[in-house]
Coordinates of all heavy atoms in Angstrom, one line a residue:
M1 N 11.2 -43.4 -53.4 CA 10.1 -43.0 -54.2 C 8.9 -42.8 -53.4 O 8.5 -43.6 -52.6 CB 9.8 -44.1 -55.3 CG 8.7 -43.7 -56.2 SD 8.4 -45.1 -57.4 CE 6.6 -45.0 -57.4
S2 N 8.2 -41.6 -53.5 CA 7.0 -41.3 -52.8 C 5.9 -40.9 -53.7 O 6.1 -40.4 -54.8 CB 7.3 -40.2 -51.8 OG 7.7 -39.0 -52.5
V3 N 4.7 -41.2 -53.2 CA 3.5 -40.8 -54.0 C 3.2 -39.3 -53.8 O 3.1 -38.9 -52.6 CB 2.3 -41.7 -53.6 CG1 1.1 -41.2 -54.4 CG2 2.6 -43.1 -53.9
A4 N 3.1 -38.5 -54.8 CA 2.8 -37.1 -54.7 C 1.4 -36.9 -54.2 O 0.4 -37.6 -54.6 CB 3.0 -36.4 -56.0
R5 N 1.2 -36.0 -53.2 CA -0.1 -35.6 -52.7 C -0.6 -34.6 -53.7 O 0.1 -33.9 -54.3 CB 0.0 -35.1 -51.3 CG 0.4 -36.1 -50.3 CD 0.7 -35.4 -49.0 NE 1.8 -34.5 -49.1 CZ 2.2 -33.6 -48.2 NH1 1.4 -33.4 -47.1 NH2 3.2 -32.8 -48.4
P6 N -1.9 -34.4 -53.8 CA -2.5 -33.4 -54.7 C -1.9 -32.0 -54.5 O -1.7 -31.3 -55.4 CB -4.0 -33.4 -54.3 CG -4.2 -34.8 -53.7 CD -3.0 -35.2 -53.0
Q7 N -1.7 -31.6 -53.2 CA -1.2 -30.3 -52.9 C 0.3 -30.1 -53.3 O 0.8 -29.0 -53.3 CB -1.4 -29.9 -51.5 CG -0.8 -30.8 -50.5 CD -1.7 -31.9 -50.0 OE1 -2.4 -32.5 -50.8 NE2 -1.7 -32.2 -48.7
D8 N 1.0 -31.3 -53.6 CA 2.4 -31.2 -54.0 C 2.5 -30.8 -55.4 O 3.6 -30.5 -55.9 CB 3.1 -32.5 -53.7 CG 3.2 -32.7 -52.2 OD1 3.2 -31.7 -51.4 OD2 3.3 -33.9 -51.8
I9 N 1.5 -31.0 -56.2 CA 1.6 -30.8 -57.6 C 1.1 -29.3 -57.9 O 0.0 -28.9 -57.6 CB 0.7 -31.8 -58.4 CG1 1.1 -33.2 -58.1 CG2 0.7 -31.5 -59.9 CD1 0.2 -34.2 -58.7
V10 N 2.0 -28.6 -58.6 CA 1.6 -27.2 -58.9 C 0.8 -27.3 -60.3 O 0.9 -28.3 -61.0 CB 2.8 -26.3 -59.1 CG1 3.5 -26.1 -57.7 CG2 3.8 -26.8 -60.1
C11 N 0.1 -26.3 -60.5 CA -0.8 -26.3 -61.7 C -0.1 -26.6 -63.0 O -0.5 -27.4 -63.8 CB -1.5 -24.9 -61.9 SG -2.6 -24.5 -60.5
K12 N 1.1 -26.0 -63.2 CA 1.9 -26.2 -64.4 C 2.2 -27.7 -64.6 O 2.1 -28.3 -65.7 CB 3.2 -25.4 -64.3 CG 4.0 -25.4 -65.6 CD 5.1 -24.4 -65.5 CE 6.1 -24.7 -66.6 NZ 6.9 -25.9 -66.5
E13 N 2.6 -28.4 -63.5 CA 2.9 -29.8 -63.5 C 1.6 -30.6 -63.9 O 1.7 -31.5 -64.6 CB 3.4 -30.3 -62.2 CG 4.9 -29.8 -61.9 CD 5.3 -30.2 -60.5 OE1 4.5 -30.2 -59.6 OE2 6.5 -30.5 -60.4
L14 N 0.5 -30.2 -63.3 CA -0.7 -30.9 -63.5 C -1.1 -30.8 -65.0 O -1.5 -31.8 -65.6 CB -1.8 -30.3 -62.7 CG -3.2 -31.0 -62.8 CD1 -3.1 -32.4 -62.4 CD2 -4.3 -30.3 -62.0
V15 N -1.0 -29.6 -65.5 CA -1.3 -29.4 -66.9 C -0.4 -30.2 -67.8 O -0.9 -30.9 -68.8 CB -1.2 -27.9 -67.3 CG1 -1.3 -27.7 -68.8 CG2 -2.3 -27.1 -66.6
E16 N 0.9 -30.3 -67.5 CA 1.8 -31.1 -68.3 C 1.5 -32.6 -68.2 O 1.5 -33.3 -69.2 CB 3.2 -30.8 -67.8 CG 3.8 -29.6 -68.4 CD 5.1 -29.2 -67.7 OE1 5.6 -29.9 -66.9 OE2 5.6 -28.1 -68.0
L17 N 1.1 -33.0 -67.0 CA 0.8 -34.4 -66.8 C -0.5 -34.7 -67.6 O -0.6 -35.8 -68.3 CB 0.5 -34.7 -65.3 CG 1.7 -34.9 -64.4 CD1 1.3 -35.0 -63.0 CD2 2.5 -36.1 -64.8
L18 N -1.5 -33.9 -67.5 CA -2.7 -34.1 -68.2 C -2.5 -34.1 -69.7 O -3.1 -34.9 -70.4 CB -3.8 -33.0 -67.8 CG -4.5 -33.2 -66.5 CD1 -5.4 -32.0 -66.2 CD2 -5.3 -34.5 -66.6
T19 N -1.7 -33.2 -70.2 CA -1.4 -33.1 -71.6 C -0.8 -34.4 -72.1 O -1.2 -34.9 -73.1 CB -0.5 -31.9 -71.9 OG1 -1.1 -30.7 -71.4 CG2 -0.4 -31.7 -73.4
D20 N 0.2 -34.8 -71.4 CA 0.9 -36.1 -71.7 C -0.1 -37.2 -71.7 O -0.2 -38.0 -72.7 CB 2.0 -36.4 -70.8 CG 3.3 -35.6 -71.0 OD1 3.2 -34.9 -72.1 OD2 4.2 -35.6 -70.2
F21 N -0.9 -37.3 -70.7 CA -1.9 -38.3 -70.5 C -2.9 -38.3 -71.6 O -3.2 -39.4 -72.2 CB -2.6 -38.2 -69.2 CG -3.7 -39.2 -68.9 CD1 -3.4 -40.4 -68.5 CD2 -5.0 -38.8 -69.2 CE1 -4.4 -41.3 -68.3 CE2 -6.0 -39.7 -69.0 CZ -5.7 -41.0 -68.5
L22 N -3.4 -37.1 -72.0 CA -4.4 -37.0 -73.0 C -3.8 -37.4 -74.4 O -4.5 -38.1 -75.2 CB -4.9 -35.6 -73.1 CG -6.0 -35.2 -72.1 CD1 -6.4 -33.8 -72.1 CD2 -7.3 -36.1 -72.4
E23 N -2.6 -36.9 -74.6 CA -2.0 -37.3 -75.9 C -1.8 -38.8 -76.1 O -2.1 -39.3 -77.2 CB -0.6 -36.5 -76.1 CG -0.8 -35.1 -76.5 CD 0.5 -34.3 -76.4 OE1 1.5 -34.9 -76.1 OE2 0.5 -33.1 -76.8
Q24 N -1.4 -39.4 -75.0 CA -1.2 -40.9 -75.1 C -2.5 -41.6 -75.2 O -2.7 -42.6 -75.9 CB -0.5 -41.4 -73.9 CG 1.0 -41.0 -73.9 CD 1.7 -41.3 -72.6 OE1 1.3 -42.2 -71.8 NE2 2.7 -40.4 -72.2
H25 N -3.5 -41.0 -74.5 CA -4.9 -41.6 -74.6 C -5.5 -41.5 -76.0 O -6.1 -42.5 -76.5 CB -5.7 -41.0 -73.5 CG -7.2 -41.4 -73.5 ND1 -7.6 -42.6 -72.9 CD2 -8.3 -40.9 -74.1 CE1 -8.9 -42.8 -73.1 NE2 -9.3 -41.8 -73.8
L26 N -5.3 -40.3 -76.6 CA -5.9 -40.1 -77.9 C -5.4 -40.9 -79.0 O -6.1 -41.2 -80.0 CB -5.7 -38.6 -78.2 CG -6.6 -37.6 -77.5 CD1 -6.1 -36.2 -77.7 CD2 -8.1 -37.7 -77.9
V27 N -4.1 -41.4 -78.8 CA -3.5 -42.3 -79.8 C -4.4 -43.5 -80.0 O -4.5 -44.0 -81.2 CB -2.1 -42.7 -79.4 CG1 -1.6 -43.8 -80.3 CG2 -1.2 -41.5 -79.4
W28 N -4.9 -44.1 -78.9 CA -5.7 -45.4 -79.1 C -7.2 -45.2 -78.9 O -7.9 -46.2 -79.1 CB -5.1 -46.4 -78.2 CG -5.2 -46.1 -76.7 CD1 -4.2 -45.5 -76.0 CD2 -6.3 -46.4 -75.9 NE1 -4.7 -45.4 -74.7 CE2 -6.0 -45.9 -74.6 CE3 -7.6 -46.9 -76.1 CZ2 -6.9 -45.9 -73.5 CZ3 -8.5 -47.0 -75.0 CH2 -8.1 -46.5 -73.8
C29 N -7.6 -44.1 -78.5 CA -9.1 -44.0 -78.2 C -9.8 -43.2 -79.3 O -9.8 -42.0 -79.4 CB -9.3 -43.3 -76.9 SG -11.0 -43.2 -76.4
P30 N -10.5 -43.9 -80.2 CA -11.2 -43.3 -81.3 C -12.3 -42.3 -80.8 O -12.6 -41.3 -81.4 CB -11.8 -44.4 -82.1 CG -11.4 -45.7 -81.5 CD -10.7 -45.4 -80.2
G31 N -13.0 -42.7 -79.7 CA -14.1 -41.9 -79.2 C -13.6 -40.5 -78.8 O -14.2 -39.5 -79.2
C32 N -12.5 -40.4 -78.1 CA -12.0 -39.1 -77.6 C -11.4 -38.4 -78.8 O -11.5 -37.2 -78.9 CB -11.0 -39.3 -76.5 SG -11.7 -39.7 -74.9
S33 N -10.8 -39.1 -79.7 CA -10.2 -38.4 -80.9 C -11.3 -37.7 -81.7 O -11.2 -36.6 -82.1 CB -9.5 -39.4 -81.8 OG -8.4 -40.0 -81.1
E34 N -12.4 -38.5 -81.9 CA -13.6 -37.9 -82.6 C -14.2 -36.7 -81.8 O -14.5 -35.7 -82.4 CB -14.6 -39.0 -82.8 CG -15.9 -38.5 -83.5 CD -15.6 -38.1 -84.9 OE1 -14.5 -38.3 -85.4 OE2 -16.6 -37.4 -85.5
Y35 N -14.3 -36.8 -80.5 CA -14.8 -35.8 -79.7 C -13.9 -34.5 -79.8 O -14.4 -33.4 -80.0 CB -14.8 -36.2 -78.2 CG -15.3 -35.1 -77.3 CD1 -16.6 -34.8 -77.2 CD2 -14.4 -34.4 -76.6 CE1 -17.0 -33.7 -76.3 CE2 -14.7 -33.4 -75.7 CZ -16.1 -33.0 -75.6 OH -16.5 -32.0 -74.8
L36 N -12.6 -34.7 -79.8 CA -11.7 -33.6 -79.9 C -11.8 -32.9 -81.2 O -11.7 -31.7 -81.4 CB -10.3 -34.1 -79.6 CG -9.2 -33.0 -79.4 CD1 -9.5 -32.2 -78.1 CD2 -7.8 -33.6 -79.4
R37 N -12.0 -33.8 -82.3 CA -12.1 -33.3 -83.6 C -13.3 -32.4 -83.8 O -13.2 -31.3 -84.3 CB -12.1 -34.5 -84.6 CG -11.9 -34.1 -86.1 CD -12.2 -35.2 -87.0 NE -13.6 -35.6 -86.9 CZ -14.6 -34.9 -87.5 NH1 -14.3 -33.8 -88.1 NH2 -15.9 -35.3 -87.4
Q38 N -14.4 -32.9 -83.2 CA -15.7 -32.1 -83.3 C -15.5 -30.8 -82.5 O -16.0 -29.8 -82.9 CB -16.8 -32.9 -82.8 CG -17.2 -34.0 -83.7 CD -18.4 -34.9 -83.2 OE1 -18.9 -34.6 -82.1 NE2 -18.8 -35.9 -84.0
F39 N -14.9 -30.9 -81.3 CA -14.7 -29.8 -80.4 C -13.9 -28.7 -81.2 O -14.3 -27.5 -81.2 CB -14.0 -30.3 -79.2 CG -13.8 -29.2 -78.1 CD1 -15.0 -28.7 -77.5 CD2 -12.6 -28.7 -77.8 CE1 -14.8 -27.7 -76.5 CE2 -12.5 -27.7 -76.8 CZ -13.6 -27.2 -76.2
R40 N -12.8 -29.1 -81.8 CA -12.0 -28.2 -82.6 C -12.8 -27.6 -83.7 O -12.7 -26.4 -84.0 CB -10.7 -28.8 -83.1 CG -9.7 -29.0 -82.0 CD -8.5 -29.7 -82.5 NE -7.4 -29.7 -81.5 CZ -6.5 -30.6 -81.4 NH1 -6.5 -31.6 -82.3 NH2 -5.5 -30.5 -80.5
A41 N -13.6 -28.4 -84.4 CA -14.4 -27.9 -85.5 C -15.4 -26.9 -85.0 O -15.6 -25.9 -85.7 CB -15.1 -29.1 -86.2
T42 N -16.0 -27.1 -83.9 CA -16.9 -26.2 -83.3 C -16.3 -24.8 -83.0 O -16.8 -23.8 -83.3 CB -17.5 -26.7 -82.0 OG1 -18.1 -28.0 -82.3 CG2 -18.6 -25.8 -81.4
I43 N -15.1 -24.9 -82.4 CA -14.3 -23.7 -82.1 C -14.0 -22.9 -83.4 O -14.2 -21.7 -83.4 CB -13.0 -24.0 -81.3 CG1 -13.4 -24.5 -79.9 CG2 -12.1 -22.8 -81.2 CD1 -12.2 -25.0 -79.1
G44 N -13.6 -23.7 -84.4 CA -13.3 -23.0 -85.7 C -14.5 -22.4 -86.3 O -14.4 -21.2 -86.7
A45 N -15.6 -23.0 -86.2 CA -16.9 -22.5 -86.8 C -17.3 -21.2 -86.0 O -17.7 -20.2 -86.6 CB -18.0 -23.5 -86.7
T46 N -17.1 -21.2 -84.7 CA -17.5 -20.1 -83.9 C -16.6 -18.9 -84.2 O -17.1 -17.8 -84.3 CB -17.4 -20.4 -82.4 OG1 -18.0 -21.7 -82.1 CG2 -18.0 -19.3 -81.5
R47 N -15.3 -19.2 -84.4 CA -14.4 -18.1 -84.7 C -14.7 -17.4 -86.0 O -14.5 -16.3 -86.2 CB -13.0 -18.6 -84.7 CG -12.4 -18.8 -83.3 CD -10.9 -18.7 -83.4 NE -10.3 -19.0 -82.0 CZ -9.4 -20.0 -81.8 NH1 -9.0 -20.7 -82.8 NH2 -9.0 -20.2 -80.6
K48 N -15.3 -18.2 -86.9 CA -15.5 -17.7 -88.3 C -16.8 -16.8 -88.3 O -17.0 -16.1 -89.2 CB -15.7 -18.9 -89.3 CG -14.4 -19.4 -89.8 CD -14.6 -20.5 -90.9 CE -13.5 -21.5 -90.9 NZ -13.9 -22.8 -90.8
L49 N -17.6 -16.9 -87.2 CA -18.8 -16.1 -87.1 C -18.4 -14.7 -86.9 O -18.1 -14.2 -85.8 CB -19.7 -16.6 -86.0 CG -20.7 -17.6 -86.3 CD1 -21.5 -17.9 -85.0 CD2 -21.7 -17.1 -87.3
A50 N -18.3 -13.9 -87.9 CA -17.9 -12.5 -87.8 C -19.1 -11.6 -87.7 O -20.2 -12.0 -88.0 CB -17.0 -12.2 -89.0
E51 N -18.8 -10.4 -87.4 CA -19.8 -9.4 -87.2 C -20.7 -9.2 -88.5 O -21.9 -9.1 -88.5 CB -19.2 -8.0 -86.9 CG -19.9 -7.4 -85.7 CD -19.1 -6.1 -85.3 OE1 -19.1 -5.2 -86.1 OE2 -18.6 -6.1 -84.2
E52 N -20.0 -9.3 -89.6 CA -20.6 -9.0 -90.9 C -21.6 -10.1 -91.3 O -22.3 -10.0 -92.3 CB -19.6 -8.7 -92.0 CG -18.5 -9.7 -92.2 CD -17.3 -9.3 -91.4 OE1 -17.4 -8.7 -90.3 OE2 -16.2 -9.6 -91.9
D53 N -21.5 -11.3 -90.6 CA -22.4 -12.4 -90.9 C -23.8 -12.1 -90.3 O -24.7 -12.8 -90.7 CB -21.9 -13.7 -90.3 CG -20.6 -14.1 -91.1 OD1 -20.5 -13.8 -92.2 OD2 -19.8 -14.8 -90.4
L54 N -23.9 -11.2 -89.4 CA -25.2 -10.9 -88.8 C -26.1 -10.2 -89.9 O -25.7 -9.4 -90.6 CB -25.1 -10.0 -87.6 CG -24.4 -10.6 -86.4 CD1 -24.2 -9.5 -85.4 CD2 -25.3 -11.6 -85.8
P55 N -27.4 -10.7 -90.0 CA -28.3 -10.1 -90.9 C -28.5 -8.6 -90.6 O -28.3 -8.2 -89.5 CB -29.6 -10.9 -90.6 CG -29.2 -12.1 -90.0 CD -28.0 -11.8 -89.2
E56 N -28.9 -7.9 -91.6 CA -29.2 -6.5 -91.5 C -30.1 -6.1 -90.4 O -31.2 -6.7 -90.2 CB -29.8 -6.0 -92.8 CG -29.7 -4.5 -93.0 CD -28.3 -4.0 -93.3 OE1 -27.5 -4.8 -94.0 OE2 -27.9 -2.9 -92.8
G57 N -29.7 -5.2 -89.5 CA -30.5 -4.8 -88.4 C -30.4 -5.6 -87.1 O -30.7 -5.1 -86.0
V58 N -29.9 -6.8 -87.2 CA -29.8 -7.7 -86.0 C -28.8 -7.1 -85.0 O -29.0 -7.0 -83.8 CB -29.4 -9.1 -86.4 CG1 -29.0 -9.9 -85.2 CG2 -30.5 -9.8 -87.1
K59 N -27.6 -6.6 -85.6 CA -26.6 -6.1 -84.7 C -27.2 -4.9 -83.9 O -26.9 -4.7 -82.7 CB -25.4 -5.6 -85.5 CG -24.2 -5.2 -84.7 CD -23.1 -4.7 -85.7 CE -22.2 -3.8 -85.0 NZ -21.3 -3.1 -86.0
E60 N -27.9 -4.0 -84.6 CA -28.5 -2.8 -84.0 C -29.5 -3.2 -82.9 O -29.5 -2.6 -81.8 CB -29.1 -1.9 -85.0 CG -28.2 -1.1 -85.9 CD -27.3 -1.9 -86.8 OE1 -27.8 -3.0 -87.2 OE2 -26.2 -1.5 -87.2
N61 N -30.3 -4.2 -83.2 CA -31.3 -4.7 -82.3 C -30.6 -5.2 -81.0 O -31.0 -4.9 -79.9 CB -32.2 -5.8 -82.9 CG -33.2 -5.2 -83.9 OD1 -33.4 -4.0 -83.9 ND2 -33.7 -6.1 -84.7
L62 N -29.5 -6.0 -81.2 CA -28.8 -6.5 -80.1 C -28.2 -5.4 -79.2 O -28.3 -5.4 -78.0 CB -27.7 -7.5 -80.6 CG -28.2 -8.9 -81.0 CD1 -27.0 -9.7 -81.6 CD2 -28.7 -9.7 -79.7
L63 N -27.5 -4.5 -79.9 CA -26.9 -3.4 -79.2 C -27.9 -2.6 -78.4 O -27.7 -2.2 -77.2 CB -26.2 -2.5 -80.2 CG -24.9 -3.0 -80.7 CD1 -24.3 -2.1 -81.8 CD2 -23.8 -3.2 -79.6
D64 N -29.1 -2.4 -79.0 CA -30.2 -1.7 -78.4 C -30.7 -2.4 -77.1 O -30.8 -1.9 -76.1 CB -31.4 -1.6 -79.4 CG -31.9 -0.2 -79.5 OD1 -31.1 0.8 -79.5 OD2 -33.1 0.0 -79.5
A65 N -30.8 -3.8 -77.3 CA -31.3 -4.6 -76.2 C -30.3 -4.5 -75.0 O -30.7 -4.4 -73.9 CB -31.5 -6.0 -76.6
F66 N -29.0 -4.6 -75.4 CA -28.0 -4.5 -74.3 C -28.0 -3.2 -73.6 O -27.8 -3.1 -72.4 CB -26.6 -4.8 -74.9 CG -26.3 -6.3 -75.1 CD1 -26.0 -6.8 -76.3 CD2 -26.4 -7.1 -74.0 CE1 -25.7 -8.1 -76.5 CE2 -26.1 -8.5 -74.1 CZ -25.8 -9.0 -75.4
R67 N -28.2 -2.1 -74.4 CA -28.2 -0.8 -73.8 C -29.3 -0.7 -72.8 O -29.2 -0.2 -71.7 CB -28.4 0.3 -74.9 CG -27.0 0.6 -75.6 CD -27.1 1.8 -76.4 NE -26.1 1.8 -77.5 CZ -26.4 1.5 -78.7 NH1 -27.6 1.3 -79.1 NH2 -25.4 1.5 -79.6
H68 N -30.5 -1.2 -73.2 CA -31.7 -1.1 -72.3 C -31.4 -2.0 -71.1 O -31.8 -1.6 -69.9 CB -32.9 -1.6 -73.0 CG -33.4 -0.5 -74.0 ND1 -33.8 0.7 -73.6 CD2 -33.6 -0.6 -75.3 CE1 -34.2 1.4 -74.7 NE2 -34.0 0.6 -75.7
W69 N -30.8 -3.1 -71.3 CA -30.6 -4.1 -70.2 C -29.6 -3.5 -69.2 O -29.8 -3.5 -68.0 CB -30.0 -5.4 -70.8 CG -29.5 -6.3 -69.8 CD1 -30.3 -7.0 -68.9 CD2 -28.1 -6.7 -69.5 NE1 -29.4 -7.8 -68.1 CE2 -28.2 -7.6 -68.4 CE3 -26.9 -6.4 -70.1 CZ2 -27.0 -8.2 -67.9 CZ3 -25.8 -7.0 -69.6 CH2 -25.8 -7.9 -68.5
R70 N -28.6 -2.8 -69.7 CA -27.6 -2.1 -68.8 C -28.2 -1.0 -68.0 O -27.8 -0.7 -66.9 CB -26.4 -1.7 -69.6 CG -25.5 -2.8 -70.0 CD -24.3 -2.4 -70.7 NE -23.4 -1.5 -69.9 CZ -22.3 -1.0 -70.4 NH1 -22.0 -1.2 -71.6 NH2 -21.6 -0.2 -69.6
H71 N -29.2 -0.3 -68.6 CA -29.9 0.8 -67.9 C -31.0 0.3 -67.0 O -31.6 1.1 -66.3 CB -30.4 1.8 -68.9 CG -29.3 2.5 -69.6 ND1 -29.5 3.1 -70.9 CD2 -28.0 2.7 -69.3 CE1 -28.3 3.6 -71.3 NE2 -27.4 3.4 -70.4
G72 N -31.2 -1.0 -67.1 CA -32.2 -1.6 -66.2 C -33.7 -1.2 -66.5 O -34.5 -1.2 -65.7
S73 N -33.9 -0.8 -67.8 CA -35.3 -0.4 -68.2 C -35.9 -1.5 -69.1 O -35.2 -2.3 -69.6 CB -35.2 0.9 -68.8 OG -34.4 0.9 -69.9
Ligands
LIG1 ZN1 -11.1 -41.8 -74.5

């Protein structure tokens, strides 16, 4: 049995290790469970922000601002 060096672990293995570790950790850690819950809620809320939620004129103003910004004026 040998201890793996950081460079011996490929990204996929690291992700799998981290996922396993996190899942086991979340079972008993209320702090991280709550954090993850809020994090997911935030992502969900952001995804729900659709174009049509923008007030009248805001989208045009933003597009205008971006156009000017890209032209450097
Ligand atoms: Zn934790």
Side-chain angles (χ1 to χ4, degrees):
M1 183 184 139
S2 63
V3 179
R5 293 170 298 165
Q7 59 266 42
D8 290 335
I9 301 176
V10 296
C11 294
K12 188 173 166 289
E13 287 176 323
L14 181 65
V15 168
E16 279 168 6
L17 282 172
L18 278 176
T19 306
D20 281 354
F21 176 81
L22 278 174
E23 277 171 1
Q24 285 169 35
H25 176 82
L26 286 168
V27 168
W28 62 265
C29 182
C32 285
S33 296
E34 178 63 12
Y35 175 79
L36 191 68
R37 195 189 63 73
Q38 288 180 1
F39 186 65
R40 282 180 173 151
T42 305
I43 290 174
T46 310
R47 281 206 185 125
K48 277 185 209 129
L49 269 180
E51 229 175 63
E52 52 265 34
D53 291 332
L54 289 171
E56 198 70 35
V58 169
K59 186 181 156 194
E60 283 69 26
N61 286 343
L62 278 173
L63 286 173
D64 229 41
F66 277 124
R67 281 192 202 104
H68 287 298
W69 172 66
R70 285 180 63 181
H71 292 155
S73 55

